[in-house]
Each structure stands twice: as structure tokens, then as C-alpha cells.
Amino acid sequence: MSEMETDRIENENVCPICMDCVTPADGVNLCSDKSHGPSCRACMVAYIENQVKSSFHGTCPLISCPNSAHTRAINNRRKDSTPESNTSAASSRDESSETENVLKKRKILVFEEWKTIVPNTVQQKYTSLAHSLLSFLCGGCHSLKSLDVGYDRDSATFYFHNYFREKSSETVSALAPIPLPPQVAKSDSEELNLPAVPNETTSTTVESFFTLPAEAKAALLLSDVKLFCCGELTVDEYFTSLTTKYFPELKSIGDQAAWDIFIYVLKLLPDPERRANLHLRYLRDRPRMKTACCSREHCFRCQTKDFHEGKSCMESTETLDHSIVPCPSCGLRLTKGDGCNSFTCPCGKQFSWSAEKENADRCQQFYSSFPANTSTTCSVILCTNYTKIQHPSNLYPGKRSNAVLFDDDNNAPTRNVLPVNTSVVLQAKAWQQRNRVEVSREMRHLFESVHWPSPSQCCATISTHLHSEYVREEGMLEAAEIWKAEHAKEVERCASQNAFATQSLMETFYPDITERCVAAFKMLNAPHAPFKPPNSKSGGSGRLHYCPFATDRHLLDSARLWVERHREVYLRHAEAFEINCAKQFLRLYGSRSPLYTRATYSFTHCVSEWDRSTSNADLTYSQENTTVERVGSISCYPAAFCNLVSDHCTFKVMLKSAPKSSNWITFGLARKGMASSSSDGVGRTNNTWGLSDDRSSSTSHSLLVANGQEMSNFRKLRVGDVLSATVSLLENYCDISVNDNELQYRFNIPPGTMKDYCFAMTFANDHRVTIIYDDSNLTNSNNSPTADKNDQKIGGNNIIPQPQFVTLNSDQSRMMSALKKQLKLIIAAINSEKSTDNDSNAMQLLGDAFAWQQSCGGDHDEAIRCYNVLANEVEVLLNMRRKSPSSNSENSGNEEKCQLSMLSWNNILDALSWYRQHKEQILMERDLAMANHFYMVHGDDASFFAAMNLVEYHTHKVESDEQMASLAYMKIFESDMQQWYEYNASLEDPLIPNLNKRCRCVPRHGKKCPREVRS
């Protein structure tokens, strides 16, 4: 079907099946999305009948909408995800993942609507197919019957209203606010007459769901039922919502108690297919069930009667056929004949057959290695990061005895110890996937045992702490979430007490608001020395890691929380503190050259390694997680992530291998939650900002992209390029640079904390990068440059001989960084067209304008020439622009360049003050010179060329010297331009068409004129 025909179907009432026009009397729209046109009733009945009758026993079709508005979106998505190279096992997994994402957005026909127009035989066939998914051979009467519980909305609604009402009556009232101590009873908001910080809004998250009334909980449950029946929620998404938000006790209570709740969830679903697949998802976690005919217990997973209490399916059936792989979603046992590696279960779940078969083998290997207490051993392996663990038979001698965990040191006992490596961890994860309820129960017991006597307090610390260094094990985080779901009120009480204690530290240590802001500024921006991780052996040759928190962690957390709550007060005092630091530096070293004052260390925290826990597992990591490589076409847009180490930190990598291949390489900043595969890359995905380069494209540039929108472009990346990203969460920006000064671009980002952002990269085929972490930035520089003898011999009033190079200490380095920041603000304010005297407080640092005029011999033209050269070198010094290649040319004499090494910080401030006072005169002289030169070049046709140049600028958005000269000509010769525009408007065929005839601006606007809009 062509795109023209597809657009006609979407815009007109054309049936997508027979392609004929649909009359209002004969049209029906059974889709959950009512935004598109209807279909013929007869065509829709035939379509549904064909879908149902073409299905086999044991399968039930998910009847999707045939309208082209959905199918074209699916085809476009599949077309975009088609690999350019030959298909392989990795590319098949890519296609499977892409297809799953498409199916999640597929619109289905609502069963309650289409069952009224189809014959009864079709509806009965559809119901029988759904029942066949749950068909089970009873071990008591040996009859094959379905486990479907049927649809009974009234009884289920009545049950859940009573259920939530009883739960609400058990819930205590909201916690009363904890009274403040007398010494901090008066908050800073009251002292400074600031508005109080608003409380968090009520949402339907897991933490706040239990505080809602019973009627609201029941209404939310019914709304999710509707979304699930319309296809907006998949089986996994809806089941996860049930077990985490509505009924968290389903993870730990007994099988009979869980079934007493879940049976009414199933009775809420009118669609037999939806009901059957959700039932299968439940049986995957809890295979214990009873047949309706004999009420005899069976195991649905291994299809055996008399449920094997206390044993797993593998323990009860030693001869399990591993060629039969269970579905990772519903647990249905499947076999594969001929075909590709991509497999689709009747429930709709798509997965890689080889990957699931490998997980099944890992599950069998794990059971063979730990036949006794298998789930207990699995929970211990997942919840620890140790190389050895005690034998599981000795873990729980009592109910609350501590589980002894052993590190790999010389003092660790060797008796009854089991080795743990990466393969065993993967086997444990495979066992957990197939025995989630048992492993979750053991993880909860282990969490209580390890953190006894205060598991809730530890859970609150793990859940709310700002630093990931406290907990590195994913299993322990999952165990904490299980404990939190069962003890929500107790954990919330502990969290509120922790938050109050943390917030009160800053106010107790620094009662004065000014001292508090200065202390917070120093703690959040202080550089720190490297350190070895606690688990590294003494005397080892391990690589030094970066320590972003040299001060007390609790005090640092308190500073972060206080800054988040009082950001305006903090920024105001921090700005005043930086200006004072700049003034102190000028008093100490204002007479010295910027090139001979060097900071002791780099003033930015650096990221030192990739975060393996959140990065794509298919990538190859080496050199202690500092180097990452994508081998071939493995995975789909594999992403690697690095956590932020402070509110102002830098992430720097070097491109080691970058062949021309397929896919994109992207680099930058992302919000937490970005997918580790199958995304569009950094910058091209929502909530990401960065640099993107299509390695398969023949174009000569890469792209600077923010939230999928192209902002600018740059040359293509090459081997040896150093990519760096610097983020400041206090000023809400992210700077992307290549080779330091070759490219610099700033993105504005939304406010957030370290928990909200991460550095991210996606890789093209066979690309390899390495994190650059230079320890020399943290020590004194011994190879600092010395003053050039030729510079010391040059005379002049503005030349100050430099006695020697000066290395600054930590406090002086902070002062120089503050001065550089204020210089950037001053230059930006002066160069701005709308700048005023009150634009920036940094203007008070400006020097004596008359001193700069005198240093240039009192010649105004000489002062302009020297300032232009000085401004370029200062902007290079402050990393505001890259150094031009011509600046290093040996042929550029001393008369054409400014010797920055012979000028002091005070000279720079004097020059900026002089330029600020004479800015209008200088700009007018520059425009006059450019306009006269433009007229001399183009003669009487200057007005025409000026107008044409501005049209090209608005079309291509590329600024050049020609456009600047055109603007200067229009400004100086405005009357000539007005006459030419009137002449152009009078022509029957204008030389420049599409200009607003009512506009009198110079240059002319197009369709809209700002003056007309304001009027």
C-alpha cells in the first residue's frame, strides 16, 4: 500500500480492509483508540472470524486493530530497526527486542465491543482457545479441564472494596511532624522571610499508595484493569503493578492466601485471552494450584500431582528435558522446531530461544552445584559482593542469627566455604527468575538477619542515601525493596527520622546563614585526593580511584539537602563569596601574569570507571572497568554509563578505535533510566544531551543534539579524539568539548541531583574508548613553564617583568577559579547587546579604564588594536573559544599579537573597563569601517547584495563576515536601504520575494514583523 493511499485512509472514512468508503450506519470502530476512522461492519466481522478460526488449540490470538494508522507506525519502526549487515545471533536479538517494543504499543480490539457483532460460534471459539491455554490434566480424575475462573465483575468489585477498606482501617494515621529542637526551631525561611518549601505532591507511587482512601485504591485498580484490557499495559507490566503497588504482600505470603486475592483480580477481566495470560503469569511465580474438579493440589510448572512441598521442580523431577524451555513471562513450556532464534510465546512475549535455553542450563547447573538449600544459597550470592560465602547449611542456625559472610583475605576461614565467581552469579540470577517467590522469601530473611536488630533503619538508609558506595550489590537493593514493601510504615518512619537528623547537621554546625552557605560551597566544590577502595589489599599495586567525598559523608549529605531546599539563598551568598575570593586573589597576585600563576590541582572531580551494574552486559570491559569495547554488532545501541561523583564533575574519554562501520557513537549526559540497549543514543533520545556521530554516513560532520533536536554540528570523530563532558548541577548546564578547545558547546539541563543524572555513551561496531584519569592533576606541577627571556626584554608601559613561576595552594587555587568565573561573566555582560550596569555583580571587579589608555601611549586606535588581540587570548585562557591556528604562527610579529605573558590580571580588568566605557564608540567605528568597505566592494549594488546576504543568513543560519558587513551597511546607510526595499516592493517580479510589505524594519522581515505583533 502506497503512502498516498494510507494518508487517504487516515483522512477519510475509508475501510482499511476493503478500501471502500464507510457509511455512518455501517461503520464500526472497535479499537481502544477512537482517534481514527471506522471500518465496515462486515469486513470487521470477517477479520475477527479469520483471526480466531486460523488459531490452533493451545494458542489464543491477540486481535489487533487493522487500521493503517497503527500498522504503518509498526512498519516504520521495523524498517528503522532493520540491520544493514547480514543477520546474526546478536542482530536477531536486536530485532526481537525492537519487535517487543512495537507490540507494547499495538492497539487491540476491545472484547466487550466486538463480541456483540460477531456470531456466537466465533465468540465460543475464542473463549475455548483462551481456555486451552490453561488446560490441565487432573491427576485425580484424569480429565483435561481448564483452570479459568471466569468473569464476575460484581463479586470482584465488592471483594476489593472490602479488602481495601480493611487495609485502610489497619493503617495508622499519618505520622505527626517531629518537633524541632529549641536551638533550630526557627528555620532559615522564617529568618529570611522566604516562602516555605512545599511538600511533595501526592502520587500513586508505591510509597504513597497506602495513604490513599479505600475508594481511591479500588478506582485505581479498576482503571488499570481497563488499560490492561485495551493493550496499554503488557502482562508483565500489569503483574508488576499488582505485586508492587496494589498487593505487595503477594511476594511473601503463602500460596493459598495469595490465590484468595488473585482469583478476584482475574474475575475483573472480561477478555478471556487477557485473563488466561495473566493467570499464566501468576502460575509462573506460584505454580501450586488446585483443580476445580477434584480440588487436588498439583504443580503447574512440572505438571505433577500432589505438590512437592519444600522441593523445587528440579528436585522432584530429576529427569527434566532441557530441550523444553519455559517462557520467561508466563512460564509455559515450549519447544522449537525449524525457524530463526526469535521465539514468540502464545502470551505475546518475544524472546531469544538460545538465551532462554542458556538460562535453563544455568538453572540446572546451579541446582547441581547447590542441591541443598538452593534458594537460600541463591539469595546469599545475589545479596553479597564477596568472593566466598559460608556453606548455606550453617547460615541460619536460629531465626535471627547473623549470616557470616567472608571476604577473600588471609584471616577468612576455609572450612565449609563455597567459591563464587561471575558464572555462579549468572546461574543464581537464572534460578531466581524461575523461582522468584522462594528466592524473594529467602532474600527477606537474609536482609533481616544481616541487618538485625534494625533492618527497617538499614532499609531506609539504603533506599534514601545519596551515595551508591554504601550498597553495590543489586540483590541487597532488591531485598531492601522487598522488606520495604512489607514494612512500609516502619521504613517511612525511619526515613523521616534520618532526613530530619541529616538536615539538622548543617544548621547545628553553622548557625550563621552566611557561614553555612560558605561551608556548603566549599564542601560541594572542594577537590579531593585519590584513595584505594576499602576492599583492596594493603601494599597491592591496584589503580588509584577517585574519592569525591573527603569530608564527613553525613555532613556532606546535609549540605546537599540544605542547598536543595534553600537554593536561592545559597546562590546569593555563594556569588558574594566568589566575588570576595576574586578580590583577595587580585590583592595577592593581581600584578602577576595569568600564564605564571598555576593552580595546584584540577578543580573538577573526575569520573574514574564505568558502572557495570547499569551498563550493557554485552560490552567488553577491561583495564579495571576503564576501557569498554563493542565487539562486532553485538546488542542494539549498547550503552555504558558512569555515575556522577559530585555536583560539578567531568567525564573524559579517548577514542582508541573508531573504524567506519554501521550504527552511531554518541557521548554526553543522560537522565537516569536511559535504556542500556535499543535506544536512539545520547542526544537523540529524550532527556539526553550530547554529541552524536553516524559512523555509517558519508557526511562530513557529527551532530550536537538535545532531546532529539539538532542544535549544531561538528566534524566527524577520529581516533585519538578526547571527548569530555562537564556537568554543573548547581548552575544547571553541561559542557561538551572535543580535544579541550577544538569544540565547546553548552547545553542547559533541568534542575536535578546526582541521583537524577549519569554520563552515557553508545557505541558503533568495533569501537573502543578509554576513560582518561590523570592523577597528575591532583599534585603539584613540577614541569611548569618558565618565563621566556625574550618576553622579559620587551619594553612598554603595559609590560611587567615576571620574576618566576608561582604555584598556588588550595585556597589560592579556589580564589583564581572564582576570578576566572567572574571574568567570564564580565565578558559575557559586556558583549551582550542588552547589557546594563546592573547585569552582574562581577562588574565591581573592573579596573581603571584610563590606565589602559595610558599603557597604550594614549592612542585610541592603538588601544583598540591591543584590546582586540587581548580579548582573543583571554577568551582562549578562559576556555571560552579555541585557539586559532594562526596564533602559533612564527611569522606573526610582536606588533600583531599581544604578549599575554607580559600582562597582569589587573591589566586585563583595566582593558575590560576601558572597552565597556568606549563600547558604543568602538562599535560605531567598526560598523562604519565595515560599511565603507562593503560599499567600495559592491558599489551601487551594495543595497541589493546586503539584502540578499541577510536572506541567505535567515535561510541557512550560518553567520559569516559577509553577513556582519551587510548588517553594518544597513545600519549606516539605512535611508538607502529603505529606498531599495520600496523599489523592490514596486516591482511586478520582486528581486527578493516573500517580504512583509507592511514592515518598515531594516532588514525587512518575512511573514511576521515583531512591531506588528506588539501593536
Side-chain angles (χ1 to χ4, degrees):
M1 184 185 298
S2 65
E3 294 186 1
M4 184 177 300
E5 293 175 344
T6 304
D7 294 336
R8 185 173 65 88
I9 294 174
E10 294 178 10
N11 298 328
E12 301 177 4
N13 292 333
V14 179
C15 177
I17 301 175
C18 66
M19 307 297 292
D20 291 334
C21 294
V22 182
T23 61
D26 190 39
V28 291
N29 188 352
L30 306 176
C31 180
S32 56
D33 183 6
K34 306 297 183 183
S35 60
H36 56 75
S39 305
C40 297
R41 178 183 296 268
C43 294
M44 187 60 68
V45 171
Y47 169 78
I48 297 174
E49 185 175 1
N50 180 66
Q51 292 284 325
V52 173
K53 291 187 176 181
S54 61
S55 301
F56 299 95
H57 184 79
T59 64
C60 186
L62 187 66
I63 304 178
S64 61
C65 179
N67 195 282
S68 58
H70 311 306
T71 57
R72 187 171 65 169
I74 295 175
N75 293 332
N76 291 339
R77 184 66 179 269
R78 288 174 174 169
K79 182 179 179 181
D80 294 340
S81 62
T82 300
E84 297 179 5
S85 59
N86 295 332
T87 57
S88 60
S91 62
S92 298
R93 288 196 297 270
D94 295 349
E95 295 174 1
S96 176
S97 178
E98 290 292 332
T99 308
E100 180 182 357
N101 292 336
V102 170
L103 288 177
K104 289 182 180 180
K105 297 183 179 180
R106 179 175 293 175
K107 304 299 181 180
I108 65 175
L109 302 183
V110 182
F111 172 76
E112 288 291 284
E113 296 181 11
W114 66 258
K115 74 176 184 179
T116 59
I117 67 171
V118 300
N120 292 334
T121 56
V122 177
Q123 179 183 349
Q124 293 173 2
K125 173 70 173 178
Y126 182 80
T127 305
S128 64
L129 291 175
H131 288 173
S132 67
L133 294 175
L134 296 169
S135 59
F136 191 88
L137 183 64
C138 179
C141 61
H142 302 287
S143 59
L144 185 65
K145 295 184 179 180
S146 177
L147 301 178
D148 183 48
V149 298
Y151 172 59
D152 190 358
R153 180 183 178 88
D154 295 335
S155 63
T157 305
F158 177 79
Y159 171 83
F160 286 120
H161 274 89
N162 292 334
Y163 173 86
F164 289 125
R165 192 175 294 111
E166 292 175 0
K167 288 293 182 180
S168 299
S169 62
E170 296 174 359
T171 304
V172 296
S173 60
L175 295 174
I178 303 176
L180 294 173
Q183 62 270 22
V184 294
K186 186 176 182 181
S187 65
D188 296 330
S189 298
E190 297 174 350
E191 180 180 356
L192 299 174
N193 196 21
L194 296 175
V197 179
N199 296 326
E200 296 182 356
T201 57
T202 304
S203 61
T204 57
T205 58
V206 178
E207 291 77 5
S208 61
F209 178 78
F210 74 95
T211 61
L212 298 177
E215 292 75 11
K217 294 179 180 179
L220 286 174
L221 178 62
L222 295 178
S223 64
D224 279 2
V225 168
K226 183 177 180 181
L227 293 177
F228 176 64
C229 291
C230 293
E232 297 293 336
L233 295 176
T234 62
V235 176
D236 280 337
E237 291 173 347
Y238 184 54
F239 186 83
T240 302
S241 177
L242 291 173
T243 56
T244 56
K245 182 167 68 174
Y246 296 101
F247 313 104
E249 61 271 21
L250 289 178
K251 295 183 178 180
S252 57
I253 61 177
D255 292 331
Q256 186 59 43
W259 175 247
D260 292 340
I261 298 175
F262 205 84
I263 186 176
Y264 288 100
V265 176
L266 297 174
K267 290 183 177 182
L268 283 174
L269 304 176
D271 192 336
E273 183 272 335
R274 300 278 83 189
R275 187 168 62 247
N277 280 308
L278 184 62
H279 196 168
L280 288 173
R281 180 62 183 85
Y282 170 82
L283 292 174
R284 171 193 164 191
D285 286 354
R286 295 182 179 271
R288 188 172 189 170
M289 40 77 63
K290 291 181 180 181
T291 56
C293 51
C294 302
S295 297
R296 187 165 185 172
E297 287 190 346
H298 294 75
C299 178
F300 187 82
R301 183 180 300 156
C302 59
Q303 304 287 307
T304 58
K305 62 180 179 180
D306 299 331
F307 186 80
H308 40 80
E309 185 68 30
K311 295 182 179 181
S312 66
C313 294
M314 289 188 179
E315 295 178 73
S316 61
T317 57
E318 296 291 345
T319 60
L320 183 65
D321 186 6
H322 291 287
S323 62
I324 301 176
V325 175
C327 172
S329 177
C330 65
L332 185 66
R333 297 186 303 167
L334 304 168
T335 58
K336 184 177 76 72
D338 296 334
C340 64
N341 197 45
S342 180
F343 202 90
T344 304
C345 178
C347 70
K349 176 68 175 180
Q350 293 188 345
F351 58 92
S352 173
W353 178 266
S354 60
E356 289 303 319
K357 192 173 185 301
E358 185 179 359
N359 286 335
D361 295 338
R362 288 172 179 169
C363 191
Q364 176 64 26
Q365 293 171 6
F366 187 79
Y367 172 72
S368 300
S369 302
F370 309 100
N373 300 320
T374 310
S375 296
T376 302
T377 308
C378 176
S379 64
V380 174
I381 293 175
L382 294 177
C383 293
T384 60
N385 196 23
Y386 291 75
T387 58
K388 293 182 179 181
I389 62 171
Q390 188 176 358
H391 197 277
S393 60
N394 300 327
L395 281 176
Y396 302 111
K399 179 180 179 181
R400 291 175 176 171
S401 61
N402 292 331
V404 182
L405 307 176
F406 295 87
D407 201 354
D408 190 11
D409 53 44
N410 297 330
N411 298 325
T414 58
R415 185 178 181 182
N416 290 334
V417 170
L418 301 173
V420 177
N421 50 36
T422 306
S423 62
V424 176
V425 174
L426 295 177
Q427 295 171 11
K429 290 182 178 180
W431 180 270
Q432 181 195 25
Q433 185 178 5
R434 286 160 174 77
N435 304 272
R436 188 168 296 277
V437 174
E438 293 83 354
V439 176
S440 298
R441 187 181 295 115
E442 295 299 330
M443 291 174 69
R444 181 178 61 83
H445 293 328
L446 178 63
F447 186 85
E448 182 181 11
S449 176
V450 171
H451 298 98
W452 180 259
S454 55
S456 296
Q457 180 68 35
C458 295
C459 179
T461 303
I462 292 174
S463 302
T464 60
H465 211 281
L466 295 177
H467 309 305
S468 61
E469 286 82 358
Y470 276 80
V471 179
R472 294 182 178 269
E473 301 80 24
E474 298 180 11
M476 189 60 71
L477 294 175
E478 185 177 353
E481 292 298 326
I482 295 175
W483 181 270
K484 182 178 181 180
E486 298 183 12
H487 306 80
K489 295 180 292 184
E490 187 177 350
V491 173
E492 185 177 356
R493 182 184 295 108
C494 294
S496 62
Q497 294 173 355
N498 292 345
F500 170 76
T502 302
Q503 295 170 15
S504 62
L505 281 178
M506 283 295 292
E507 299 175 355
T508 303
F509 277 88
Y510 305 99
D512 183 71
I513 186 65
T514 303
E515 294 180 357
R516 192 181 311 150
C517 293
V518 172
F521 178 84
K522 291 181 178 180
M523 283 188 287
L524 298 179
N525 294 276
H528 309 288
F531 82 110
K532 287 188 176 181
N535 57 358
S536 62
K537 296 181 180 180
S538 59
S541 59
R543 181 178 62 85
L544 292 178
H545 290 250
Y546 205 80
C547 176
F549 311 112
T551 56
D552 182 76
R553 294 176 183 266
H554 299 288
L555 187 60
L556 188 61
D557 287 344
S558 180
R560 295 182 189 280
L561 293 175
W562 188 86
V563 169
E564 290 179 5
R565 291 179 174 268
H566 307 83
R567 184 169 294 273
E568 294 183 0
V569 178
Y570 168 77
L571 293 178
R572 185 168 63 252
H573 285 80
E575 182 182 6
F577 174 70
E578 286 187 316
I579 293 178
N580 290 334
C581 289
K583 291 180 179 179
Q584 294 177 17
F585 182 82
L586 290 175
R587 285 193 290 268
L588 293 174
Y589 300 103
S591 60
R592 290 188 174 273
S593 169
L595 298 184
Y596 297 98
T597 50
R598 182 68 61 84
T600 306
Y601 40 71
S602 177
F603 218 61
T604 304
H605 304 148
C606 297
V607 177
S608 59
E609 60 182 351
W610 300 98
D611 184 12
R612 293 284 299 274
S613 62
T614 57
S615 301
N616 191 295
D618 294 332
L619 295 171
T620 302
Y621 302 88
S622 59
Q623 298 182 5
E624 297 185 352
N625 296 332
T626 59
T627 299
V628 61
E629 180 180 9
R630 181 186 184 184
V631 179
S633 59
I634 189 171
S635 187
C636 176
Y637 280 99
F641 304 101
C642 291
N643 293 324
L644 272 64
V645 295
S646 69
D647 288 334
H648 186 83
C649 57
T650 296
F651 173 50
K652 185 178 293 187
V653 300
M654 177 178 286
L655 205 55
K656 293 290 187 178
S657 177
K660 186 176 181 181
S661 58
S662 60
N663 295 324
W664 293 64
I665 180 171
T666 62
F667 170 86
L669 183 72
R671 280 269 191 179
K672 285 288 185 68
M674 177 182 172
S676 60
S677 63
S678 302
S679 69
D680 291 332
V682 183
R684 302 168 65 225
T685 306
N686 288 335
N687 294 321
T688 59
W689 306 262
L691 181 66
S692 301
D693 187 9
D694 186 1
R695 306 304 295 172
S696 61
S697 174
S698 59
T699 58
S700 59
H701 61 268
S702 55
L703 303 176
L704 287 158
V705 196
N707 294 314
Q709 182 179 1
E710 180 181 348
M711 310 300 293
S712 183
N713 57 66
F714 182 63
R715 65 163 175 83
K716 296 191 74 67
L717 300 179
R718 299 188 291 261
V719 174
D721 283 342
V722 177
L723 315 179
S724 62
T726 302
V727 61
S728 175
L729 299 181
L730 298 178
E731 301 182 23
N732 301 325
Y733 70 82
C734 175
D735 287 340
I736 301 294
S737 63
V738 178
N739 300 331
D740 291 335
N741 293 329
E742 185 176 357
L743 166 70
Q744 284 193 346
Y745 192 88
R746 172 164 294 187
F747 295 100
N748 295 322
I749 61 176
T753 62
M754 291 169 51
K755 298 184 297 182
D756 301 327
Y757 289 99
C758 64
F759 295 112
M761 282 195 73
T762 63
F763 302 88
N765 298 355
D766 298 315
H767 277 53
R768 183 176 77 255
V769 299
T770 298
I771 294 179
I772 298 178
Y773 177 70
D774 189 5
D775 293 338
S776 63
N777 290 336
L778 301 172
T779 58
N780 290 338
S781 178
N782 297 325
N783 54 354
S784 303
T786 58
D788 191 351
K789 297 180 180 180
N790 296 329
D791 293 344
Q792 297 179 6
K793 294 179 181 179
I794 298 176
N797 296 330
N798 61 332
I799 303 302
I800 300 177
Q802 303 297 321
Q804 61 182 357
F805 181 84
V806 176
T807 300
L808 308 178
N809 59 26
S810 59
D811 291 334
Q812 295 165 352
S813 300
R814 184 190 302 111
M815 296 176 188
M816 187 175 71
S817 298
L819 177 59
K820 287 184 176 181
K821 180 179 179 181
Q822 300 305 317
L823 280 175
K824 290 182 180 180
L825 296 177
I826 292 173
I827 294 175
I830 291 177
N831 293 336
S832 176
E833 297 180 357
K834 300 180 180 180
S835 61
T836 60
D837 294 340
N838 299 323
D839 275 344
S840 175
N841 294 328
M843 291 297 181
Q844 57 186 287
L845 298 176
L846 289 176
D848 186 3
F850 181 74
W852 175 256
Q853 182 85 18
Q854 291 299 113
S855 65
C856 298
D859 186 0
H860 181 76
D861 295 336
E862 179 67 14
I864 294 177
R865 187 192 64 81
C866 293
Y867 174 81
N868 291 332
V869 181
L870 173 66
N872 293 332
E873 295 195 11
V874 169
E875 290 183 0
V876 172
L877 175 68
L878 301 178
N879 292 329
M880 298 178 68
R881 70 165 65 183
R882 67 185 182 93
K883 193 172 184 180
S884 60
S886 61
S887 61
N888 295 328
S889 177
E890 297 179 357
N891 297 328
S892 56
N894 292 333
E895 67 277 7
E896 296 296 335
K897 65 178 181 179
C898 180
Q899 296 287 345
L900 187 61
S901 61
M902 307 304 294
L903 296 179
S904 66
W905 292 100
N906 290 330
N907 294 142
I908 296 175
L909 292 172
D910 292 343
L912 292 174
S913 178
W914 175 86
Y915 178 76
R916 183 190 179 206
Q917 292 184 6
H918 301 81
K919 176 182 176 181
E920 294 184 1
Q921 180 182 356
I922 295 173
L923 293 180
M924 180 61 68
E925 294 175 356
R926 185 197 65 180
D927 292 342
L928 182 59
M930 293 174 64
N932 290 331
H933 178 74
F934 189 83
Y935 180 78
M936 292 176 61
V937 171
H938 298 286
D940 295 336
D941 297 330
S943 299
F944 167 74
F945 283 103
M948 288 298 299
N949 289 335
L950 267 298
V951 171
E952 293 181 1
Y953 168 73
H954 291 299
T955 303
H956 302 288
K957 300 296 183 181
V958 178
E959 189 173 299
S960 63
D961 295 338
E962 189 71 12
Q963 271 87 32
M964 298 297 296
S966 300
L967 289 174
Y969 176 83
M970 290 184 176
K971 183 176 180 181
I972 299 299
F973 300 97
E974 182 178 358
S975 60
D976 294 345
M977 288 303 303
Q978 290 284 8
Q979 294 178 7
W980 187 90
Y981 277 124
E982 293 176 0
Y983 165 75
N984 180 72
S986 64
L987 296 177
E988 184 177 354
D989 185 12
L991 298 176
I992 300 181
N994 302 325
L995 293 179
N996 194 333
K997 295 183 179 180
R998 293 180 294 178
C999 177
R1000 291 296 176 266
C1001 303
V1002 176
R1004 290 285 194 269
H1005 294 88
K1007 296 181 180 180
K1008 293 183 179 180
C1009 178
R1011 296 181 179 179
E1012 292 182 351
V1013 174
R1014 287 195 297 267
S1015 61

